Amino acid sequence: MANCINCGQELTGKYCANCGQSADTHRYDFKLIIKDFFDVFYKFKSSIFHSIKLNYTHPVQSINNYFIGKRIEFYNPLRYVFFISVLNSFLLIKSIHLTSIPAAPDDPLVEKFIKLYLSNMSIIDMLEIPVISLFTFLLFRKRKLNYPENLVANCFLFGNLFLVNILVTLVQWLFHSPAFVEVTDEIFFWSGVVYFIIIYTLLFKENFVSGILKSLLAVMLSKIIYVCLVIAYTEIF
């Protein structure tokens, strides 16, 4: 009976029961390089698209399943939101000429803020997640979720929101109209607020009235704190 080359445990199947190392190992060659390349692409593609499908069709159930440990079918929430945020930022920067923001604002602070945002868009967009997670943790204590669980939930929700924003940006490209961009951005913002109200109310098991009030408070407070932090960063650096 062979032993695992990684930990020395006696092998009883195709994989080591102790560390998960494959029993079928041999010298690395070009065949294995090609296999690993397509495995990475396939596993990434299947996991990310499967996560997107679950997060959109059953968002509350998906988050609850992740909480109780059913995580094998989900893409890691931090990587999920980061990947979609980077893609979203890339498309927004490419389409920035469609917006009504002037190329050279009169206010130096505004100009500095715009340059900072455009150069760090994906990171700045994600900064709102830990902020809003703090408010959902404080306002929805009845569900007894800890802060990391609130963070996970909001990573999934913001990933969904960024993905919709990608679709909105692509539609804006087609019409190529600043007026259309302004209207669709406004619709997207308030649709996002409604989306968070619905999901928070169901996820945290709140009644209709308290769910709306607490969700609105969490969203608005997080945006105020988020903007203040970004402005403070702009002033300091």
Side-chain angles (χ1 to χ4, degrees):
M1 185 70 69
N3 293 331
C4 173
I5 62 172
N6 185 56
C7 67
Q9 179 82 13
E10 185 176 296
L11 294 171
T12 56
K14 293 184 178 180
Y15 296 93
C16 175
N18 183 51
C19 69
Q21 168 73 36
S22 173
D24 183 21
T25 57
H26 51 81
R27 189 173 181 177
Y28 213 83
D29 54 20
F30 280 105
K31 181 180 178 181
L32 196 55
I33 288 177
I34 295 172
K35 178 181 180 299
D36 282 351
F37 174 80
F38 284 104
D39 277 353
V40 168
F41 175 75
Y42 173 75
K43 288 175 182 177
F44 167 77
K45 182 182 72 172
S46 61
S47 60
I48 190 73
F49 286 122
H50 187 60
S51 287
I52 289 172
K53 177 184 176 181
L54 292 175
N55 291 336
Y56 272 98
T57 56
H58 303 93
V60 175
Q61 181 182 335
S62 296
I63 294 170
N64 284 325
N65 284 343
Y66 200 87
F67 286 162
I68 64 175
K70 295 181 179 180
R71 298 167 188 164
I72 190 68
E73 58 184 347
F74 294 101
Y75 198 66
N76 179 280
L78 294 175
R79 283 182 289 187
Y80 175 76
V81 71
F82 179 75
F83 169 75
I84 298 178
S85 176
V86 170
L87 181 58
N88 178 53
S89 300
F90 173 77
L91 291 176
L92 285 175
I93 291 172
K94 289 294 183 181
S95 66
I96 200 66
H97 63 281
L98 295 176
T99 68
S100 57
I101 299 174
D106 295 331
D107 190 337
L109 180 61
V110 174
E111 184 179 7
K112 187 177 181 182
F113 175 82
I114 292 172
K115 288 181 179 179
L116 172 71
Y117 181 71
L118 292 179
S119 59
N120 302 277
M121 189 181 292
S122 59
I123 301 299
I124 291 176
D125 283 346
M126 289 180 62
L127 285 178
E128 191 175 353
I129 300 175
V131 177
I132 198 171
S133 298
L134 176 62
F135 286 113
T136 57
F137 170 68
L138 295 174
L139 292 171
F140 297 102
R141 297 299 295 272
K142 185 174 69 175
R143 179 68 199 275
K144 297 181 179 180
L145 297 178
N146 59 32
Y147 178 76
E149 287 171 327
N150 279 270
L151 193 63
V152 164
N154 283 299
C155 280
F156 279 129
L157 297 181
F158 270 79
N160 295 347
L161 200 66
F162 292 151
L163 190 60
V164 173
N165 198 34
I166 289 172
L167 299 178
V168 171
T169 301
L170 293 175
V171 172
Q172 290 173 342
W173 278 10
L174 295 176
F175 288 88
H176 207 279
S177 165
F180 179 77
V181 170
E182 187 175 350
V183 171
T184 50
D185 281 347
E186 190 75 16
I187 293 173
F188 172 75
F189 173 80
W190 289 110
S191 298
V193 173
V194 172
Y195 173 74
F196 276 94
I197 289 173
I198 294 172
I199 300 299
Y200 284 160
T201 301
L202 295 174
L203 178 65
F204 296 110
K205 301 179 181 178
E206 293 285 335
N207 62 55
F208 181 72
V209 176
S210 67
I212 292 177
L213 294 177
K214 290 182 180 180
S215 299
L216 276 174
L217 189 59
V219 171
M220 295 309 173
L221 285 176
S222 69
K223 290 194 178 296
I224 291 171
I225 299 297
Y226 165 71
V227 170
C228 289
L229 289 174
V230 175
I231 292 175
Y233 181 87
T234 306
E235 287 280 13
I236 294 171
F237 298 98

